[in-house]
Short mmCIF file of all heavy atoms in Angstrom, two decimals:
data_model
loop_
_atom_site.label_atom_id
_atom_site.label_comp_id
_atom_site.label_asym_id
_atom_site.label_seq_id
_atom_site.Cartn_x
_atom_site.Cartn_y
_atom_site.Cartn_z
N ALA A 1638 24.75 -113.69 17.23
CA ALA A 1638 24.43 -115.08 17.62
C ALA A 1638 23.30 -115.62 16.78
O ALA A 1638 23.34 -116.78 16.28
CB ALA A 1638 24.07 -115.10 19.12
N ILE A 1639 22.30 -114.76 16.60
CA ILE A 1639 21.14 -115.19 15.82
C ILE A 1639 21.58 -115.48 14.41
O ILE A 1639 21.20 -116.50 13.81
CB ILE A 1639 20.07 -114.11 15.84
CG1 ILE A 1639 19.41 -113.99 17.23
CG2 ILE A 1639 18.97 -114.39 14.81
CD1 ILE A 1639 18.61 -112.77 17.46
N LEU A 1640 22.39 -114.55 13.92
CA LEU A 1640 22.85 -114.74 12.54
C LEU A 1640 23.66 -116.01 12.41
O LEU A 1640 23.49 -116.79 11.46
CB LEU A 1640 23.70 -113.54 12.12
CG LEU A 1640 22.93 -112.32 11.61
CD1 LEU A 1640 23.88 -111.15 11.52
CD2 LEU A 1640 22.25 -112.62 10.29
N GLU A 1641 24.52 -116.16 13.35
CA GLU A 1641 25.32 -117.40 13.29
C GLU A 1641 24.43 -118.63 13.38
O GLU A 1641 24.61 -119.62 12.63
CB GLU A 1641 26.34 -117.43 14.44
CG GLU A 1641 27.54 -116.55 14.17
CD GLU A 1641 28.36 -116.40 15.45
OE1 GLU A 1641 28.07 -117.06 16.46
OE2 GLU A 1641 29.32 -115.60 15.40
N SER A 1642 23.47 -118.52 14.27
CA SER A 1642 22.54 -119.65 14.37
C SER A 1642 21.82 -119.82 13.08
O SER A 1642 21.66 -120.96 12.59
CB SER A 1642 21.57 -119.42 15.53
OG SER A 1642 20.72 -118.33 15.25
N TYR A 1643 21.37 -118.70 12.51
CA TYR A 1643 20.64 -118.82 11.25
C TYR A 1643 21.57 -119.32 10.17
O TYR A 1643 21.19 -120.16 9.34
CB TYR A 1643 20.05 -117.48 10.84
CG TYR A 1643 18.82 -117.12 11.59
CD1 TYR A 1643 18.59 -115.82 12.02
CD2 TYR A 1643 17.88 -118.11 11.93
CE1 TYR A 1643 17.46 -115.52 12.71
CE2 TYR A 1643 16.75 -117.78 12.64
CZ TYR A 1643 16.54 -116.47 13.04
OH TYR A 1643 15.43 -116.17 13.75
N ASP A 1644 22.81 -118.79 10.21
CA ASP A 1644 23.75 -119.29 9.19
C ASP A 1644 23.98 -120.80 9.37
O ASP A 1644 23.99 -121.58 8.40
CB ASP A 1644 25.08 -118.56 9.35
CG ASP A 1644 24.99 -117.17 8.77
OD1 ASP A 1644 24.16 -116.93 7.83
OD2 ASP A 1644 25.74 -116.27 9.28
N SER A 1645 24.12 -121.14 10.61
CA SER A 1645 24.31 -122.58 10.86
C SER A 1645 23.09 -123.36 10.44
O SER A 1645 23.20 -124.46 9.89
CB SER A 1645 24.61 -122.82 12.35
OG SER A 1645 23.53 -122.40 13.15
N GLU A 1646 21.97 -122.75 10.64
CA GLU A 1646 20.75 -123.47 10.24
C GLU A 1646 20.63 -123.46 8.74
O GLU A 1646 20.13 -124.41 8.13
CB GLU A 1646 19.55 -122.81 10.89
CG GLU A 1646 19.40 -123.19 12.34
CD GLU A 1646 18.23 -122.51 12.99
OE1 GLU A 1646 17.43 -121.85 12.24
OE2 GLU A 1646 18.08 -122.59 14.22
N LEU A 1647 21.00 -122.34 8.17
CA LEU A 1647 20.83 -122.18 6.72
C LEU A 1647 21.67 -123.20 5.95
O LEU A 1647 21.24 -123.76 4.95
CB LEU A 1647 21.24 -120.77 6.31
CG LEU A 1647 20.11 -119.78 6.15
CD1 LEU A 1647 20.67 -118.39 5.92
CD2 LEU A 1647 19.20 -120.20 5.01
N THR A 1648 22.93 -123.28 6.30
CA THR A 1648 23.82 -124.15 5.50
C THR A 1648 23.24 -125.56 5.32
O THR A 1648 23.28 -126.11 4.21
CB THR A 1648 25.22 -124.26 6.17
OG1 THR A 1648 25.06 -124.45 7.56
CG2 THR A 1648 25.98 -122.93 5.93
N PRO A 1649 22.70 -126.20 6.37
CA PRO A 1649 22.16 -127.49 6.07
C PRO A 1649 20.89 -127.40 5.24
O PRO A 1649 20.71 -128.11 4.25
CB PRO A 1649 21.85 -128.08 7.43
CG PRO A 1649 21.87 -126.97 8.39
CD PRO A 1649 22.67 -125.88 7.76
N SER A 1650 20.04 -126.69 5.63
CA SER A 1650 18.77 -126.61 4.90
C SER A 1650 18.55 -125.21 4.36
O SER A 1650 19.16 -124.25 4.83
CB SER A 1650 17.65 -126.99 5.87
OG SER A 1650 17.62 -126.05 6.94
N GLU A 1651 17.67 -125.14 3.39
CA GLU A 1651 17.41 -123.85 2.74
C GLU A 1651 16.00 -123.43 3.09
O GLU A 1651 15.08 -123.74 2.38
CB GLU A 1651 17.58 -123.99 1.24
CG GLU A 1651 19.00 -124.27 0.85
CD GLU A 1651 19.14 -124.39 -0.62
OE1 GLU A 1651 18.09 -124.22 -1.35
OE2 GLU A 1651 20.26 -124.54 -1.12
N HIS A 1652 15.93 -122.86 4.26
CA HIS A 1652 14.62 -122.32 4.64
C HIS A 1652 14.68 -120.80 4.46
O HIS A 1652 14.46 -120.04 5.38
CB HIS A 1652 14.31 -122.68 6.08
CG HIS A 1652 14.14 -124.14 6.31
ND1 HIS A 1652 13.01 -124.79 5.95
CD2 HIS A 1652 14.98 -125.08 6.82
CE1 HIS A 1652 13.14 -126.09 6.26
NE2 HIS A 1652 14.35 -126.28 6.79
N SER A 1653 15.06 -120.43 3.23
CA SER A 1653 15.30 -118.99 3.01
C SER A 1653 14.07 -118.11 3.25
O SER A 1653 14.17 -117.13 3.96
CB SER A 1653 15.83 -118.76 1.60
OG SER A 1653 14.94 -119.29 0.63
N PRO A 1654 12.92 -118.54 2.74
CA PRO A 1654 11.82 -117.62 3.02
C PRO A 1654 11.55 -117.49 4.52
O PRO A 1654 11.34 -116.40 5.04
CB PRO A 1654 10.64 -118.22 2.28
CG PRO A 1654 11.00 -119.60 1.91
CD PRO A 1654 12.46 -119.77 1.97
N GLN A 1655 11.60 -118.63 5.21
CA GLN A 1655 11.36 -118.51 6.64
C GLN A 1655 12.43 -117.67 7.27
O GLN A 1655 12.17 -116.82 8.14
CB GLN A 1655 11.36 -119.92 7.29
CG GLN A 1655 10.12 -120.75 6.91
CD GLN A 1655 10.21 -122.12 7.49
OE1 GLN A 1655 11.21 -122.50 8.16
NE2 GLN A 1655 9.20 -122.93 7.25
N LEU A 1656 13.66 -117.88 6.81
CA LEU A 1656 14.76 -117.11 7.38
C LEU A 1656 14.58 -115.62 7.10
O LEU A 1656 14.75 -114.78 7.98
CB LEU A 1656 16.08 -117.61 6.79
CG LEU A 1656 16.63 -118.89 7.39
CD1 LEU A 1656 17.76 -119.45 6.55
CD2 LEU A 1656 17.08 -118.72 8.82
#
Side-chain angles (χ1 to χ4, degrees):
Chain A
I1639 290 166
L1640 276 168
E1641 282 168 7
S1642 67
Y1643 283 140
D1644 284 333
S1645 62
E1646 282 179 9
L1647 262 173
T1648 44
S1650 62
E1651 293 181 1
H1652 294 283
S1653 57
Q1655 289 176 358
L1656 281 168

